[in-house]
Amino acid sequence: NYAIIPFFRYGLPVILCGLLIGMIDWEHVARLFREARVAQLLLALAGHLWVMLHLQSIRLRSVSPRRLPASDAFRMTAIAQFFQQILPTSFGGDASRAWQLKRRTGGSWGEAVAVIANFRLVGLGTLFVCGWFYMVFAGGRIGGHLSSGVAEALPWIRTALVLAPFVLAVAW
């Protein structure tokens, strides 16, 4: 009964990653890196990382029932992201965030875990809303062709799909 769980936990992701890696056009990737400017890539990566951490810290502050300074929320989010990337599951980031919340706000373990659960549910809700937007607007194919209204609005729809996670993260 329990032998299938490790397959879905470890085996299936390895197989899917192998298939995806096999689909990559490595010559194209190498050409892009040869033509890229390293300073611009590093600046874009740093900007993306800062925006992601900032939006997550805003979301963490919004779901926390106790007052949490912005600098503490940003620091907690950066540390949690580190553990989330280093450890094999995202549980390390959540455990780190809960421990830091308990320590910095003086709340109980139950309150800290509830904040993290709420944090995760807000993220899940954001994914569902973005998926709904995609299905309704970008997936509006009729007979293999885009309906005329969707085809005309497609650039705006794609922009909205890119901006939706940021707007929802700040709004929630």
Side-chain angles (χ1 to χ4, degrees):
N1 290 344
Y2 296 106
I4 194 126
I5 293 173
F7 171 74
F8 283 109
R9 180 75 179 161
Y10 303 107
L12 188 60
V14 168
I15 291 169
L16 291 175
C17 285
L19 289 172
L20 289 174
I21 288 172
M23 297 169 71
I24 295 174
D25 181 8
W26 291 106
E27 292 174 7
H28 181 69
V29 171
R31 184 174 50 81
L32 288 175
F33 274 105
R34 280 193 304 270
E35 295 171 359
R37 295 185 179 141
V38 176
Q40 288 178 344
L41 285 175
L42 291 176
L43 182 63
L45 179 64
H48 173 74
L49 183 64
W50 185 85
V51 168
M52 180 199 60
L53 289 174
H54 185 67
L55 289 175
Q56 284 187 358
S57 67
I58 290 171
R59 194 173 76 182
L60 180 65
R61 289 182 69 201
S62 70
V63 297
S64 179
R66 295 179 184 257
R67 182 162 165 73
L68 188 64
S71 60
D72 284 350
F74 190 85
R75 187 178 304 116
M76 290 168 51
T77 303
I79 292 169
Q81 277 297 329
F82 170 78
F83 285 113
Q84 202 161 334
Q85 297 301 320
I86 297 300
L87 297 176
T89 66
S90 63
F91 177 74
D94 290 341
S96 165
R97 201 175 280 123
W99 178 74
Q100 291 179 71
L101 265 172
K102 181 188 178 320
R103 192 183 77 169
R104 292 183 195 272
T105 62
S108 67
W109 278 110
E111 189 177 80
V113 169
V115 167
I116 300 306
N118 194 353
F119 182 80
R120 285 295 183 173
L121 287 174
V122 166
L124 186 62
T126 303
L127 284 176
F128 279 125
V129 169
C130 289
W132 180 81
F133 271 105
Y134 179 77
M135 286 184 351
V136 168
F137 296 110
R141 298 185 183 278
I142 300 172
H145 301 353
L146 284 173
S147 62
S148 62
V150 172
E152 292 171 5
L154 200 56
W156 294 103
I157 294 168
R158 287 187 179 149
T159 303
L161 289 174
V162 169
L163 295 177
F166 298 112
V167 171
L168 290 172
V170 171
W172 275 341

